[in-house]
Amino acid sequence: MLETSNHSTATSSGAKAKGRAVLLVLDSFGIGASADAQNFGDVGANTLGHIAEQCAIGQCEEGRSGALTLPNLAKLGLFKAGQESDNAIAALNQLAEAETSIIGSYAYAKELSTGKDTSSGHWEMAGVPVFFDWSYFEAKNDSFPEALVDAICKAGDLPGILANCHASGTDIIARLGEEHMASGKPIVYTSADSVVQIAAHEESFGLERLLELCEATRKILDADENLNVGRVIARPFVGTCAEDFIRTGNRRDYSVPPPSATLLDKLLAAGGEVYSVGKIADIFAQQGISHRYKANGIDALFQQTMAALSDVAAENHEGAENGSEAALIFTNFVDFDSSFGHRRDVNGYAKALEEFDAMLPALLNALNEDDLLIISADHGCDPTWPGSDHTREHVPVLVYKKDLSPKNLGKRESFADIGQSIASHLGLPPLEYGESFI
């Protein structure tokens, strides 16, 4: 589904950006613990490496079998980047050494931002690292201050809330969903991220009521100078009982805006277009977005990415004289994180990666000679790691352009190198952070 926003294409310099770029974020797809992982309790985490390891020893046999098989990502340099990041996992080394037909450039990037959350990862990727500290609800139980709970209940005219703890979203819905439906109390929980998550049944509680409650909660948090919470997330679900409750695609993230202008803002200011696929628009608090494509599931998100690429081509052909000549298609594949990483589902993660890999040739074939494709991630979420939180890891940076010679781009000192490279490709002025590899 496509939504479009009007925006001005005027710039102070009069210059116009040109070109097309596609940025795909495989949410949570880390490739090895970073040097500061000890600050997060994540020394030894490796999302890609441990998935490859579990597949190699036969622990991922449901719906697939054998070694992790990602021929297209391998040709783009994924396993080479993984080996550069962490060469201690034999299964990953074997996959890296087996691939000799590299068609893309590859690197691994460390994160400058202080946190390992979704917002920080995406904003840094777009040229704005997060150096301030978010507010976290660290207590595992009775997580939220009493004043915040009271304010949420008053704003939503609620008889109370359920949970008030750290929890996995699917687990907490199964555990408290029936009580929620009977009592009318929403399920309010958090995690190691700077987040308030509110789950409610779409029918018994109402989707619009849930969204209104999340909007009100966002305003409550914004009004408290002692709370700097990154996101409020609406988690609607349907079903009749614990055995069949399932979250729907109507999730909504209410984020604080980035602290300064991002690559997205700068592209719009230069007369370009930004096509958000999935939750990108929510992550950037709707800023710097001209077109929104909503979808649920990896296949649907990929198809919407292809639709956006087709729409860009049509718009550029139609409006060559007065339309945009530059576009960024920015997609977040949230399911790798929400459905497999947080749930510690190694087999599901492996299967989803292989399904995504099989889709890639369609995108590669649709790219023009001068189009730039970058595949990366925003943090790790090792499905073999204790707990259910993100892991502090390097992320892959896979770069493909038909007229670009493949090479090892080495270690990147910031995710912002991605945004800087896209800015360079599109003819934008340099961003404040990052070094271009284009």
Side-chain angles (χ1 to χ4, degrees):
M1 180 171 65
L2 168 64
E3 297 176 357
T4 302
S5 297
N6 294 324
H7 66 275
S8 170
T9 59
T11 70
S12 56
S13 66
K16 257 197 160 184
K18 293 184 179 181
R20 301 196 308 182
V22 180
L23 175 54
L24 307 183
V25 178
L26 308 192
D27 199 312
S28 84
F29 192 41
I31 58 171
S34 53
D36 61 355
Q38 73 272 9
N39 298 334
F40 301 85
D42 293 331
V43 173
N46 191 325
T47 301
L48 169 63
H50 288 143
I51 292 171
E53 186 174 64
Q54 292 296 300
C55 289
I57 62 175
Q59 296 300 305
C60 301
E61 299 292 314
E62 186 179 339
R64 61 166 310 283
S65 63
L68 184 64
T69 305
L70 306 173
N72 299 299
L73 286 167
K75 284 183 170 58
L76 292 175
L78 172 63
F79 296 130
K80 299 289 189 184
Q83 186 180 45
E84 289 281 322
S85 170
D86 180 1
N87 63 7
I89 297 179
L92 184 56
N93 290 336
Q94 291 169 4
L95 291 168
E97 290 157 11
E99 184 53 63
T100 58
S101 303
I102 304 295
I103 63 171
S105 296
Y106 57 92
Y108 66 99
K110 74 174 189 179
E111 187 168 10
L112 288 179
S113 299
T114 58
K116 54 179 179 177
D117 57 281
T118 295
S119 297
S120 297
H122 282 78
W123 294 357
E124 182 171 331
M125 212 177 297
V128 182
V130 175
F131 297 120
F132 57 79
D133 289 324
W134 295 108
S135 294
Y136 300 95
F137 303 103
E138 296 181 352
K140 299 299 182 182
N141 295 294
D142 295 323
S143 302
F144 303 115
E146 185 176 347
L148 176 58
V149 173
D150 290 344
I152 291 172
C153 290
K154 181 178 179 181
D157 191 22
L158 303 170
I161 66 169
L162 300 176
N164 191 7
C165 62
H166 282 230
S168 161
T170 51
D171 291 344
I172 202 72
I173 289 169
R175 181 158 63 89
L176 296 176
E178 292 179 22
E179 184 179 351
H180 153 69
M181 294 177 70
S183 68
K185 298 177 182 179
I187 302 167
V188 186
Y189 61 103
T190 189
S191 68
D193 278 359
S194 177
V195 65
V196 174
Q197 305 198 60
I198 305 179
H201 197 279
E202 283 197 3
E203 295 164 3
S204 68
F205 191 86
L207 177 59
E208 289 305 315
R209 186 183 178 200
L210 171 60
L211 299 181
E212 289 171 2
L213 178 61
C214 289
E215 289 175 3
T217 301
R218 176 76 269 170
K219 291 177 181 177
I220 292 167
L221 294 170
D222 291 344
D224 189 334
E225 61 182 18
N226 296 314
L227 291 176
N228 182 28
V229 177
R231 288 182 296 161
V232 176
I233 305 179
R235 293 288 196 178
F237 65 97
V238 294
T240 60
C241 62
E243 286 70 30
D244 66 6
F245 286 141
I246 185 170
R247 297 196 297 201
T248 75
N250 291 319
R251 163 188 171 148
R252 189 80 57 82
D253 292 41
Y254 298 89
S255 173
V256 294
S260 60
T262 68
L263 167 70
L264 284 61
D265 299 307
K266 293 178 184 294
L267 179 54
L268 290 195
E273 304 279 345
V274 177
Y275 293 72
S276 159
V277 183
K279 68 174 186 175
I280 293 297
D282 286 348
I283 293 169
F284 286 86
Q286 312 302 319
Q287 290 188 184
I289 307 295
S290 48
H291 307 273
R292 298 167 182 79
Y293 293 73
K294 296 181 179 179
N296 186 37
I298 293 171
D299 179 71
L301 287 163
F302 188 88
Q303 295 309 319
Q304 288 291 68
T305 302
M306 295 296 293
L309 188 63
S310 177
D311 289 346
V312 171
E315 286 190 14
N316 285 353
H317 176 74
E318 223 173 75
E321 293 185 1
N322 54 18
S324 168
E325 296 180 20
L328 168 63
I329 298 165
F330 198 171
T331 305
N332 173 281
F333 290 90
V334 66
D335 297 78
F336 291 112
D337 187 44
S338 62
S339 296
F340 310 113
H342 283 301
R343 298 188 194 184
R344 298 308 192 235
D345 181 357
V346 185
N347 185 86
Y349 210 134
K351 186 177 177 183
L353 285 170
E354 291 174 342
E355 291 170 350
F356 173 82
D357 185 89
M359 302 174 196
L360 270 179
L363 175 58
L364 296 178
N365 291 334
L367 296 175
N368 293 333
E369 192 72 21
D370 194 44
D371 289 343
L372 175 67
L373 169 66
I374 299 178
I375 301 175
S376 190
D378 53 344
H379 49 71
C381 198
D382 187 338
T384 71
W385 211 242
S388 61
D389 297 324
H390 296 158
T391 43
R392 182 73 163 190
E393 297 184 50
H394 298 134
V395 299
V397 182
L398 309 181
V399 185
Y400 179 75
K401 193 166 174 276
K402 291 182 179 179
D403 61 358
L404 192 67
S405 298
K407 62 180 178 179
N408 180 356
L409 298 170
K411 180 183 180 182
R412 312 308 301 186
E413 295 299 323
S414 170
F415 295 4
D417 288 7
I418 294 170
Q420 194 71 269
S421 300
I422 293 173
S424 175
H425 172 71
L426 297 177
L428 297 173
L431 305 178
E432 185 177 356
Y433 290 93
E435 180 179 345
S436 175
F437 43 71
I438 299 298

